[in-house]
Amino acid sequence: MSGWHPTAALGRALVLGSFGLALALVAGEPGLVVLVAPFVVLGAVALVHRPRTTPAVAAALDHRTLPEGAGTTSRLTLTGAEEVEYVARAAARPPYLALRPSHGRVGRLLGPAGPPVVEVGAQRWGTRMAGEEKVALYAPWAGFRFGPVHLTADPLRVLPTTAAYDSRAEAPQPLGLVGANRSQRAGGGTELAGIRPFQAGDRLRRINWRVSLRTGDLHVVSTRAEEDTGVLLVVDALADQGVSGGVEGAASSMDLTVRAASAIAEHHVRRGDRVALRVIGRGAEQVGYGAGARHLRRIQDRLATVRVGDVPDADSITLGVTGGAVVVVLSPMLAPSVGTATATLVRRGLSVLVVDTLPPGATPPVAAGADPEVAALAWRMRLLERSVVLDRLGRLGCPVVPWRGPGTLDDVLRRLARRARQPRVVAR
Amino acid sequence: MTPDTTPRSQLALRALVLLGPLVALLATGPAGHGPPWWLVVVVAALAGASAVAPDSPVGVAAGLVVLAWWAVSLQDDLPVSVAVAAVALTVGHVAALLASYGPRAMPLDRPTLLLWARRGALVLLTVPGAWLLARTVRGEPEQPGLWVVALATACVAIVGASVAIDLPDREESR
């Protein structure tokens, strides 16, 4: 509804005022005029302030991209609003967006401070539709109302928050050019590999004079090369288990998965490693290997647009993993296809580890009409199958760790690094 | 505060919307024409509906019933309680106007309430003037239309004064 319309208050004032005057005239009773005199005044003043211009209403968010837990402001722009006295806003309440003040219902007199603003807080990663609202403008004395004007929502991209995560473990198979991971080969790094006799080409500053004097021959300090590594993050987005309470509430499996993926990506990008992303889900989002802050932003953008849902060919998932990469599978491991794909990578000799992102106590939603007892039984059976899959992966040499923030991957990465230095038979 | 909680300002305004017509109706009691209980129930129901939905036309019905009862009651005298009834009706009307500015969960800010308190007080200045004038012209049978014209003239004058007073306020708020 747009354009100026009389309000119910104006109609009430005019009806009561005219009815009271008519009744007074017919009944010859002046006392009735005392009752309706204020209504006559209110109606007349409101009519005098009938607006002549047509305002235009628009709203915009200050930011289109936010990290989880951060907020932005929705501002109203009014043009041609010289005859507007009061502005009321009623914003829609999309899931996982917090609105202030008064949950998006706000109104005030239009003064020098301008129209009222609504603060929008992002409580969960993903693409949120923010800014859908209805705006009503009132003329002086509330005789006429413009609207309510329906304003459509704008997409707000909410990046997953970087969960607290750090790791001091070295990468199992560094296979790059430069980086922070200790390589298996000697090179110009800082990690001591040993002391050996001087060879032609060695740098003079690497001569260890103490050993050279003791042995009578020149000896040099040899170091391990430092290389970057490729880290492939595999995100299982086939289903979201558990209930998400936003950034400060309970976490669903997708919350844990996406936030952990973001944290691991940031950690490795900060160390100079190359990070890639593959999403097993409806959107099949993927980001190739890369490094640097812009690449991290691309990964976080992709994580924010992950679409949860099954894929038609889930039984034959191909991840396109190259040799030398560390594969981190973030999954609740409830889909057999993900377990199969993980086992295949392990058999190929890749360094694979699984981060279990099934929240403790998670239960699936029960469809309407389904027997809750049957659903609970089915869920228990599914959890039993899941434990079998995890046991089999463990027996194959694939560590499975639940996500617990800092240090989650330290132990398993160290074990993988030790194992990577040992000879082994690999299935081709 | 949960999203569907009604703020205190809205609760207070809706209470006034409910009480305004009721007080105006019951004000006929001191004049010796107390309303029957069923009429009180009817007005209470209409005023209650208006308090729930202040933007609906049901509030008009409550006011009309009150006016009709006062037309029946004002036969012998012009009691002071008619001024009380006028104030109650006006307060209920302004409260409904404020409550209908937005949805039920929208609180009203202090400057808006103060502005309308000033406006309400200004408008209520018509009540004592109209009461005195009505009392003066009451009992003038030979010129039955004179008092109506006089009161209408007074109302027009007050409208003009209200507009004149209100214009500087609007200029300042820009």
Side-chain angles (χ1 to χ4, degrees):
Chain A
M1 183 187 289
S2 61
W4 290 103
H5 301 278
T7 61
L10 176 60
R12 194 165 52 238
L14 294 179
V15 169
L16 289 180
S18 56
F19 178 77
L21 288 178
L23 199 61
L25 202 57
V26 170
E29 182 50 68
L32 289 176
V33 180
V34 180
L35 284 171
V36 298
F39 291 96
V40 173
V41 174
L42 283 169
V45 175
L47 285 176
V48 166
H49 287 94
R50 182 191 181 108
R52 310 258 181 255
T53 58
T54 302
V57 185
L61 297 170
D62 281 356
H63 303 88
R64 291 300 181 92
T65 304
L66 286 178
E68 264 183 311
T72 185
T73 304
S74 170
R75 298 184 193 279
L76 206 61
T77 306
L78 300 177
T79 50
E82 293 78 14
E83 294 175 295
V84 174
E85 180 186 72
Y86 190 87
V87 181
R89 302 179 69 179
R93 296 190 299 253
Y96 303 114
L97 284 182
L99 303 175
R100 279 197 319 181
S102 310
H103 301 282
R105 276 92 168 125
V106 61
R108 76 169 179 220
L109 295 169
L110 187 59
V117 297
V118 176
E119 294 175 7
V120 181
Q123 295 186 316
R124 196 189 182 204
W125 58 273
T127 303
R128 307 284 162 211
M129 299 306 287
E132 184 176 9
E133 63 179 313
K134 288 187 174 178
V135 179
L137 311 177
Y138 288 86
W141 291 82
F144 293 89
R145 181 177 66 198
F146 184 83
V149 180
H150 181 256
L151 301 178
T152 55
D154 289 324
L156 176 67
R157 183 168 293 181
V158 183
L159 304 179
T161 186
T162 304
Y165 175 71
D166 193 14
S167 174
R168 296 177 181 279
E170 57 188 323
Q173 295 173 331
L175 196 64
L177 297 175
V178 290
N181 300 301
R182 187 178 61 178
S183 169
Q184 296 172 37
R185 63 179 175 82
T190 56
E191 186 79 21
L192 177 68
I195 296 176
R196 58 171 175 76
F198 181 84
Q199 295 174 355
D202 282 340
R203 293 185 178 184
L204 294 180
R205 64 186 177 89
R206 289 199 175 269
I207 294 174
N208 188 320
W209 293 107
R210 186 177 296 173
V211 176
S212 300
L213 287 172
R214 192 166 63 240
T215 58
D217 292 323
L218 282 177
H219 278 73
V220 292
V221 174
S222 66
T223 56
R224 289 185 183 276
E226 290 176 347
E227 298 172 318
D228 61 349
T229 188
V231 178
L232 174 64
L233 301 172
V234 178
V235 167
D236 176 359
L238 293 173
D240 193 7
Q241 308 294 339
V243 178
S244 174
V247 69
E248 293 176 352
S252 68
S253 65
M254 280 308 301
D255 286 348
L256 287 176
T257 300
V258 168
R259 289 169 190 157
S262 175
I264 295 171
E266 182 174 354
H267 169 75
H268 284 285
V269 165
R270 208 167 51 224
R271 287 180 54 165
D273 296 331
R274 290 164 292 117
V275 182
L277 173 72
R278 298 275 190 283
V279 178
I280 304 172
R282 190 150 54 101
E285 296 86 355
Q286 57 179 328
V287 179
Y289 284 100
R294 291 182 64 181
H295 185 71
L296 174 65
R297 177 58 187 272
R298 281 181 59 204
I299 290 177
Q300 289 177 330
D301 277 346
R302 281 285 182 274
L303 286 171
T305 58
V306 164
R307 286 185 290 163
V308 180
D310 211 343
V311 289
D313 52 348
D315 294 334
S316 58
I317 296 172
T318 52
L319 297 172
V321 183
T322 55
V326 179
V327 183
V328 182
V329 180
L330 301 118
S331 166
M333 279 294 165
L334 287 167
S337 53
V338 178
T340 305
T342 307
T344 305
L345 294 178
V346 176
R347 285 178 177 277
R348 281 177 55 191
L350 292 164
S351 298
V352 184
L353 62 94
V354 173
V355 177
D356 181 7
T357 56
L358 184 67
T363 53
V366 180
D371 187 350
E373 290 187 7
V374 174
L377 179 63
W379 178 244
R380 285 205 302 275
M381 291 173 65
R382 193 73 202 88
L383 290 180
L384 282 174
E385 291 176 1
R386 172 180 178 271
S387 63
V388 170
V389 170
L390 295 181
D391 286 344
R392 285 181 179 168
L393 283 175
R395 281 201 295 274
L396 281 174
C398 173
V400 179
V401 290
W403 177 256
R404 58 175 190 275
T408 297
L409 306 184
D410 279 24
D411 187 42
V412 289
L413 282 175
R414 285 195 191 97
R415 278 193 278 146
L416 285 173
R418 278 198 297 272
R419 199 169 63 198
R421 295 190 197 107
Q422 298 169 356
R424 58 181 161 166
V425 177
V426 174
R428 298 286 180 189
Chain B
M1 191 170 73
T2 58
D4 295 325
T5 304
T6 305
R8 278 185 298 179
S9 58
Q10 284 280 354
L11 286 175
L13 289 171
R14 285 159 198 262
L16 291 176
V17 175
L18 172 67
L19 291 175
L22 273 178
V23 171
L25 182 70
L26 294 173
T28 54
H33 293 278
W37 65 269
W38 56 267
L39 193 61
V40 176
V41 171
V42 168
V43 171
L46 292 172
S50 178
V52 172
D55 207 14
S56 70
V58 72
V60 177
L64 291 177
V65 172
V66 172
L67 283 180
W69 182 250
W70 268 101
V72 173
S73 304
L74 288 174
Q75 288 178 348
D76 305 326
D77 193 13
L78 188 60
V80 181
S81 57
V82 72
V84 175
V87 171
L89 279 178
T90 306
V91 168
H93 169 75
V94 171
L97 181 151
L98 285 167
S100 64
Y101 260 148
R104 181 171 53 86
M106 189 186 88
L108 268 293
D109 59 326
R110 186 179 169 82
T112 306
L113 293 174
L114 289 176
L115 174 69
W116 275 101
R118 287 200 303 271
R119 286 178 175 176
L122 184 67
V123 167
L124 285 175
L125 288 178
T126 59
V127 174
W131 185 81
L132 288 173
L133 204 57
R135 197 170 182 84
T136 304
V137 302
R138 195 182 175 91
E140 297 287 340
E142 56 277 355
Q143 291 179 327
L146 178 65
W147 57 269
V148 174
V149 173
L151 289 180
T153 307
C155 288
V156 170
I158 292 170
V159 168
S162 301
V163 173
I165 291 170
D166 187 50
L167 280 175
D169 290 344
R170 293 176 61 206
E171 291 301 324
E172 286 171 9
S173 65
R174 300 262 173 250

